[in-house]
Amino acid sequence: MTDLEISQKAKLEKINVIAEKIGLTEDDYEQYGKYKAKVNLDVLERNADKKDGKLILVTAITPTPPGEGKSTVTVGLTQALNKFGYKSIAALREPSLGPVFGMKGGATGGGMSQVVPMEEINLHFTGDLHAISAAHNLISTCIDNHINHGNELDIDVNNITWKRVLDMNDRALRNIVIGLGGKINGIPRESSFQITVASEIMAIFCLAESITDLKNRIGEIVFGYNRKGEILKVKQLNVQGAAASLLKEAIKPNLVQTLENTPVFIHGGPFANIAHGCNSVLATKTALKLSDYVVTEAGFGADLGAEKFLDIKARKANLEPNVIVLVATVRALKHHGSNMDGNKDSIETLKKGMTNLEKHIENMQKYNVPLVVAINKFVTDTDEEIEEITKFCNKKGVEAALCEIWEKGGEGGKELVEKVMDAIEKNEKSKVKFSPLYDEKLPIKEKIEIICREIYGADGVKFMPKALNNIKKYTENGYDKLPICISKTQKSLSDNSNLLGRPEGFEVTINEVRLSAGAGFLVAMAGEIIDMPGLPKKTSAELIDIDDNGVITGLF
Amino acid sequence: MTDLEISQKAKLEKINVIAEKIGLTEDDYEQYGKYKAKVNLDVLERNADKKDGKLILVTAITPTPPGEGKSTVTVGLTQALNKFGYKSIAALREPSLGPVFGMKGGATGGGMSQVVPMEEINLHFTGDLHAISAAHNLISTCIDNHINHGNELDIDVNNITWKRVLDMNDRALRNIVIGLGGKINGIPRESSFQITVASEIMAIFCLAESITDLKNRIGEIVFGYNRKGEILKVKQLNVQGAAASLLKEAIKPNLVQTLENTPVFIHGGPFANIAHGCNSVLATKTALKLSDYVVTEAGFGADLGAEKFLDIKARKANLEPNVIVLVATVRALKHHGSNMDGNKDSIETLKKGMTNLEKHIENMQKYNVPLVVAINKFVTDTDEEIEEITKFCNKKGVEAALCEIWEKGGEGGKELVEKVMDAIEKNEKSKVKFSPLYDEKLPIKEKIEIICREIYGADGVKFMPKALNNIKKYTENGYDKLPICISKTQKSLSDNSNLLGRPEGFEVTINEVRLSAGAGFLVAMAGEIIDMPGLPKKTSAELIDIDDNGVITGLF
């Protein structure tokens, strides 16, 4: 059975039943169909004095292109926690249509560990990504409209950093010229579209703590420069109120359920390279008030998603992760051991690949948060392979748990639950407290260097002239105290996607630094990072169909 | 009080109460928040044998730029019908963000005749327009992706008629060059964005009678030509299933309420120039099954919206309008009488402008549907002015009713209800049956000529070479039996926006004919019609704000 077929056979509970399980009354949420709801923001306010639940962060080793099942483990773990007597909510990101129609498919887990209704969450859900696109493009439109009607702000058309967005893998929109066809059709200039999940509005949406915070952050966005080289903010266009109004409903966290009828928040979904890669602060915080254990996920490998979760989201939102679950698979470790010269399917290849896991373990240990490795079992994995990984982890002082949640759902996460609970308990006693990797008050270059050396294992960082100029400008304008969001390949710990395992003896090259003043971080561009993916020759879109009863097939 | 303030003070009933009023059970709809719902398509199927209610079409004389209150009269009339004992549902179009942030503002009526929640309907609603944009842009992306991956279909990059869409007045996207930056970023070509309401997907969405019909129509869309000049259809890209899947929820009609808690469907909203300008067939048909009187509206003046409603929508969907309500205002009649040389505020100007009303009355009488003129009263109108219009209508054999629904809500529509009921009753007895203006089997040129002569009052039609080529090509490909959708200015009965009143002695120029093979009509372009509007210097967006409780202000 495909994931979609499993999900369509699931016995869903009505969303009001799910809401009731976490103590919500009818006035606390808005139903969106029978199986989706949006939870009102005052639930968080009203529970302000209530003690937070424990926060479990799920991350992974450097992934292969199809991913290592981080979402599946996140969903499986929350199912397992509930099954074994611990009240738990999962907090996930919303899927983007780009991957849905591209190579990767949906983002609601897999096998017996899925969030449902799968097709609705993947295809339209409650329209949040669309609302974010509209808010983003309203600003874009108003920039060109301002230029067209006299350009009072003296916007430099060659120095507008704000693009347009679409939630689609549309390669042909990466480099465009707009405003052609004479004066009444705008002013010609080069521009670009990003995918919506790369929008700064998405990052802001996921870091905002209230509607007013959302609006103020949108106002603080730097969209470009005037011809004197001075920064220009969205509030100078005076459309932050309209942009925030477009997000009035979207900003409320979405409540859905797993195949085992346990509650899940799915809300916001910024890219894990150009942005910080985790669901909204509002969803995480609301979930922490409504349950004892919140399982959340950060995008790509731990060098990208977890680092940003810990150094940006957790720091900014004052969150304290109680345990980190690092997902590893035999497939990915072999990939790292093969060093790309074929798929050597041997225990030796696996052992060689273990260096990647090793580095991620060491990285996570730098944050003073206890760690458990979750071995996400594929049906082809042998006992010997699993044992090899377990032994390796134990040697590094870390517990490893075999996860059969893809095959068995929550039941398959028994060992993981036990080891996660042990780790939390031990940590409670030890009084070692989570701390971010670097002090955000350090100079920009220094912060970038710390991440590259400590997390990626680089010997050093090479700053290109453009990056140095950017850094100078941001420092002059008082934007130097922001945390760093490094945008680099997810395929390697380094900035070179060909370097598998645990690369050493390399330098990271920073080409450019971008300012996300509304989100509150600086994006350091390590290599060519595409903020608008493309589709493969054979798209997933061609497999998808719908019948007259609205039943969808072919989505994965 | 502004419209928004009135709407925010309204005592709304929960949407399940509204649904119950029209005989729906909980399984018949999906709630979207407390005051919005989507009605399942099986409601229509289940009631297939039930007799339809009466259909009331609201249209208007040639409008001034802010509009003559067609939506307000539509909402007021449905309120009035319910107040005076007739079960009625209104069926309206969904607002587009373009006008909301531009000059015109929202589209939910005004004063005491509004649909609520006003801000939600105008700003995000249930995300239908976004879903339509996504379905449209999926096709666009797949076209360029196909070219990029080898172009097996031999698509002629200079002859792709399918554009991209955004729901925004974004002038700078009217003429663009895409695919720049080298091979991995696509193939360079000229292209364009339309506003979403101008998308053929929107037109299809509003004409489809089921999900399968929707999917098949999307497959039939002609997106361009190969280098031999042969037509290319979306089904050759095989993404009609995915595009229809994106519309799975959107295709269900949205249920909301008026200020007086009467039911309203708001669903679909195609442009009334480049498309047919009325809400979805599914909403209209479902409403006809659930109530005795359905009040619906067609965009712009009767020469555009009503003509298309009658010759395209009613014909295709087998609908029989029982009465037409033609909205006139003193303001618009004076505008037509002033012939643009200042706003002469006299009874003479009003009398001179009456020629516009006269022509619209004559036009509507050609369809064998009884007609009532609704004088939408503004507070500045005098008794003398109202009497003048009434006398004029009576001389033309038509009843006129004074409408005070803006000021008084349903109560102000008493006279209109009486005259509408009289007209329906008289018509029932007379057995005169509605018939479209032309036979759709006539040659393309002839059909265009009939509309231009009969409805616009033109002496003839001038077909430019491009239009003649188009007609030849469509005829060769068997697309000549489709009805015609003329795209022309809404500001005049002619194709010249400066000609007010009842223009005579003019020719209509057809520059181009476009094929909407999925929607099932041919668009004849009379003059320069913009399918992507622009924003004014002072946008409405700048007035809009939101506070920490999510209360929006400044929307109109």
Side-chain angles (χ1 to χ4, degrees), chain A residues 194-206:
Chain A
Q194 305 170 291
I195 191 162
T196 300
V197 289
S199 162
E200 188 181 345
I201 298 284
M202 175 60 95
I204 289 173
F205 182 90
C206 287

Side-chain angles (χ1 to χ4, degrees), chain A residues 14 26-36 40-41 45 97 101 119-120 123-128 130-131 133-135 137-138 140-142 144-145 148-150 152 164-187 193 210-213 215 237-250 252 530 534-553, chain B residues 14 26-36 40-41 45 97 101 119-120 123-128 130-131 133-135 137-138 140-142 144-145 148-150 152 164-187 193 210-213 215 237-250 252 530 534-553:
Chain A
K14 294 223 169 134
E26 259 188 51
D27 285 337
D28 290 334
Y29 60 90
E30 315 276 343
Q31 259 184 254
Y32 276 65
K34 297 196 172 34
Y35 306 109
K36 297 165 284 182
N40 295 331
L41 300 188
E45 279 166 52
L97 288 177
F101 295 132
E119 62 278 57
E120 292 181 19
L123 287 177
H124 180 75
F125 204 21
T126 52
D128 293 350
H130 295 309
S133 304
N137 291 330
L138 172 65
S140 319
T141 303
C142 288
D144 280 294
N145 192 57
N148 203 57
H149 286 293
E152 271 171 43
R164 284 171 176 78
V165 296
L166 268 191
D167 188 32
M168 200 62 72
N169 280 1
D170 197 347
R171 177 192 294 113
L173 296 180
R174 283 177 193 157
N175 298 287
I176 64 175
V177 174
I178 63 172
L180 297 170
K183 176 81 178 92
I184 63 154
N185 299 314
I187 306 294
F193 275 75
S210 68
I211 292 178
T212 301
D213 185 27
K215 183 173 71 177
L237 295 168
N238 200 23
V239 293
Q240 66 279 9
S245 297
L246 282 167
L247 300 170
K248 170 179 183 283
E249 300 301 313
K252 301 173 186 170
I530 286 169
L535 290 174
K537 181 165 184 171
K538 182 79 183 168
T539 65
S540 304
E542 291 182 61
L543 307 171
I544 299 172
D545 204 0
I546 183 167
D547 73 13
D548 222 21
N549 298 315
V551 177
I552 290 172
T553 48
Chain B
K14 294 220 170 138
E26 259 189 50
D27 285 337
D28 291 334
Y29 60 91
E30 314 276 342
Q31 258 183 255
Y32 276 65
K34 296 193 174 37
Y35 306 108
K36 297 166 284 182
N40 295 332
L41 300 187
E45 281 167 49
L97 288 177
F101 294 133
E119 62 277 57
E120 291 181 19
L123 288 176
H124 181 74
F125 204 20
T126 52
D128 293 349
H130 295 309
S133 305
N137 291 330
L138 172 65
S140 320
T141 304
C142 288
D144 281 293
N145 192 57
N148 203 58
H149 286 293
E152 273 171 43
R164 285 172 175 77
V165 296
L166 267 190
D167 188 32
M168 200 61 74
N169 280 2
D170 196 347
R171 177 191 294 111
L173 296 180
R174 284 179 193 158
N175 298 287
I176 63 175
V177 174
I178 63 171
L180 298 170
K183 176 81 179 95
I184 61 153
N185 299 314
I187 307 293
F193 275 74
S210 68
I211 291 178
T212 301
D213 186 28
K215 183 173 71 179
L237 295 168
N238 201 23
V239 292
Q240 67 279 9
S245 297
L246 283 168
L247 300 170
K248 171 179 182 283
E249 300 301 313
K252 301 174 186 169
I530 286 169
L535 289 175
K537 180 164 185 172
K538 182 77 184 172
T539 66
S540 303
E542 291 182 61
L543 306 172
I544 299 171
D545 204 1
I546 185 168
D547 72 13
D548 222 19
N549 298 315
V551 178
I552 290 173
T553 48

Side-chain angles (χ1 to χ4, degrees), chain B residues 1-76:
Chain B
M1 278 209 288
T2 65
D3 287 349
L4 178 56
E5 283 162 356
I6 293 170
S7 83
Q8 285 171 340
K9 289 211 166 67
K11 283 209 180 91
L12 275 64
E13 281 177 0
K14 294 220 170 138
I15 200 64
N16 50 320
V17 177
I18 302 291
E20 212 175 294
K21 283 185 191 179
I22 51 174
L24 298 177
T25 66
E26 259 189 50
D27 285 337
D28 291 334
Y29 60 91
E30 314 276 342
Q31 258 183 255
Y32 276 65
K34 296 193 174 37
Y35 306 108
K36 297 166 284 182
K38 279 192 162 285
V39 176
N40 295 332
L41 300 187
D42 56 12
V43 170
L44 181 55
E45 281 167 49
R46 208 178 52 218
N47 286 290
D49 297 334
K50 207 180 147 190
K51 199 168 165 268
D52 280 349
K54 306 289 178 201
L55 183 55
I56 303 167
L57 173 64
V58 179
T59 181
I61 62 170
T62 305
T64 60
E68 300 324 302
K70 232 176 17 260
S71 302
T72 307
V73 171
T74 307
V75 177

Side-chain angles (χ1 to χ4, degrees), chain B residues 60-129:
Chain B
I61 62 170
T62 305
T64 60
E68 300 324 302
K70 232 176 17 260
S71 302
T72 307
V73 171
T74 307
V75 177
L77 178 52
T78 197
Q79 289 181 154
L81 283 163
N82 282 294
K83 180 170 278 290
F84 298 111
Y86 305 98
K87 263 182 70 182
S88 166
I89 299 177
L92 297 177
R93 287 173 297 162
E94 298 185 54
S96 156
L97 288 177
V100 166
F101 294 133
M103 295 268 283
K104 199 161 177 176
T108 44
M112 300 309 290
S113 293
Q114 293 187 59
V115 191
V116 282
M118 183 271 206
E119 62 277 57
E120 291 181 19
I121 296 169
N122 280 305
L123 288 176
H124 181 74
F125 204 20
T126 52
D128 293 349
L129 264 75

Side-chain angles (χ1 to χ4, degrees), chain A residues 15-27:
Chain A
I15 200 64
N16 50 317
V17 176
I18 302 292
E20 212 174 293
K21 283 186 190 177
I22 51 175
L24 298 178
T25 66
E26 259 188 51
D27 285 337

Side-chain angles (χ1 to χ4, degrees), chain A residues 313-361:
Chain A
K313 178 174 170 172
R315 185 201 314 252
K316 288 292 178 186
N318 235 340
L319 295 169
E320 288 218 19
N322 298 85
V323 61
I324 295 172
V325 173
L326 181 67
V327 178
T329 61
V330 170
R331 175 177 72 182
L333 290 169
K334 283 181 179 168
H335 169 72
H336 286 289
S338 75
N339 232 336
M340 286 199 157
D341 49 356
N343 248 335
K344 287 192 200 122
D345 192 15
S346 74
I347 198 84
E348 292 316 309
T349 316
L350 178 72
K351 280 185 191 169
K352 266 168 69 186
M354 220 76 90
T355 53
N356 184 270
L357 174 59
E358 178 184 48
K359 177 60 178 152
H360 285 293
I361 290 174

Side-chain angles (χ1 to χ4, degrees), chain B residues 6 24 32 34 40 43 60 66 135 150 205 219 256 274 285 305 332 344 384 387 390 405 427 429 451 501-502 509 541:
Chain B
I6 293 170
L24 298 177
Y32 276 65
K34 296 193 174 37
N40 295 332
V43 170
F205 183 90
V256 284
I274 204 157
K285 289 203 163 175
K344 284 193 201 121
E384 191 193 358
E387 209 188 301
T390 309
I405 44 84
N427 188 246
K429 287 179 193 154
I451 299 169
R502 179 179 186 158
T509 305

